[in-house]
Amino acid sequence: MLSNEELKNLLKGYNMLLYFSGSMILSEPTDECVVDFWNSNRLKQLPVSSSNPRFLKASSLLRNSCSDKEICSKKLSDDYFRLFETDSLPLAPALESIFKNHSESSEQDDYVGGFYNSYGWDYNLRGKIKDDHLGIELLFLTRLIEKYLQLDDQPCRAEMRKEILRFINSHILSWIPAWNKAVTENSRTFCYKGIADLIYASVEDISDILSEA
């Protein structure tokens, strides 16, 4: 069992990973992003460690990606548009509605925007980016985790923990295995293969941590 402080630090570390990985699939990576994360070697020293095989694979892929910084930004940009750009014919669109098996869940559970509305959450790009975009879902998950970390009342923390797990199970883990497979099969860079694995593994780990909390 983790102490409260250990749990907080661990979840904060995973939130950092979700911020990074979510931003990489939400918009085209910039030169500044490549410099910030790859040139500074941040991805060689991730803020958390995990025994999850998928996490270990992601760490290895990211450590060995972007070896040539001069052309890395161009390769990442090309891969982003091939995989995710919804204005074309993307090979791995990061949209729940594309991959989710709707027969396994109720109509209410299928509507992720209803989850956002129930918390009064409205993001800046709403109306321009679909509610079920994985980058938006990950951003919302980080908000829920932040709320959880701010709560001192144990009954309230328990309820928020249940809500986080409900969101993860209904709107992320229900479809990212298929999305992860599409990215793995179609990405031309280790970067996006690693990012897809990092997202999948991080959400799995957060689910396991909160289930045992």
Side-chain angles (χ1 to χ4, degrees):
M1 293 292 289
L2 297 170
S3 68
N4 283 338
E5 194 61 30
E6 289 172 332
L7 178 63
K8 285 183 178 181
N9 290 335
L10 192 56
L11 290 176
K12 286 178 181 178
Y14 277 109
N15 257 14
M16 290 176 60
L17 295 180
L18 294 182
Y19 276 126
F20 159 71
S21 54
S23 68
M24 289 293 292
I25 61 170
L26 194 56
S27 58
E28 179 187 1
T30 63
D31 290 339
E32 291 79 8
C33 176
V34 174
V35 169
D36 191 25
F37 287 102
W38 272 273
N39 284 9
S40 64
N41 291 323
R42 288 190 185 189
L43 295 178
K44 293 185 178 181
Q45 297 177 333
L46 297 179
V48 298
S49 59
S50 170
S51 59
N52 184 335
R54 206 182 320 276
F55 191 97
L56 297 175
K57 178 185 172 188
S59 300
S60 176
L61 286 169
L62 290 170
R63 280 196 301 271
N64 292 293
S65 64
C66 258
S67 56
D68 188 338
K69 305 301 189 298
E70 297 299 321
I71 61 174
C72 184
S73 182
K74 177 66 166 59
K75 284 186 174 181
L76 280 173
S77 181
D78 289 346
D79 223 11
Y80 170 84
F81 282 101
R82 290 179 63 257
L83 295 168
F84 310 126
E85 182 50 59
T86 54
D87 289 339
S88 57
L89 293 174
L91 297 172
L95 297 171
E96 177 181 336
S97 53
I98 300 295
F99 290 99
K100 188 170 183 178
N101 182 354
H102 294 277
S103 64
E104 295 179 356
S105 58
S106 69
E107 184 177 349
Q108 183 176 1
D109 284 342
D110 283 342
Y111 178 48
V112 68
F115 220 125
Y116 304 158
N117 295 338
S118 68
Y119 280 87
W121 188 67
D122 196 15
Y123 54 94
N124 292 336
L125 295 174
R126 200 165 197 181
K128 297 180 181 179
I129 295 180
K130 293 183 177 180
D131 283 348
D132 69 338
H133 191 287
L134 181 56
I136 300 300
E137 293 188 353
L138 294 177
L139 183 59
F140 181 65
L141 176 57
T142 64
R143 296 294 190 269
L144 292 181
I145 292 173
E146 287 171 358
K147 283 182 177 292
Y148 174 80
L149 294 175
Q150 291 166 3
L151 293 171
D152 293 323
D153 182 75
Q154 287 303 319
C156 290
R157 283 171 64 91
E159 286 304 310
M160 180 56 71
R161 179 173 60 84
K162 291 177 184 177
E163 283 291 277
I164 295 172
L165 290 172
R166 184 166 73 91
F167 180 74
I168 286 174
N169 291 325
S170 296
H171 294 294
I172 303 184
L173 288 182
S174 59
W175 66 280
I176 60 168
W179 173 80
N180 175 270
K181 184 173 184 289
V183 175
T184 300
E185 292 177 349
N186 291 289
S187 176
R188 291 175 177 170
T189 63
F190 283 162
C191 302
Y192 274 112
K193 292 178 189 290
I195 287 167
D197 280 335
L198 184 66
I199 291 172
Y200 192 174
S202 295
V203 176
E204 282 183 317
D205 286 355
I206 290 169
S207 179
D208 288 343
I209 290 165
L210 291 178
S211 295
E212 296 172 1

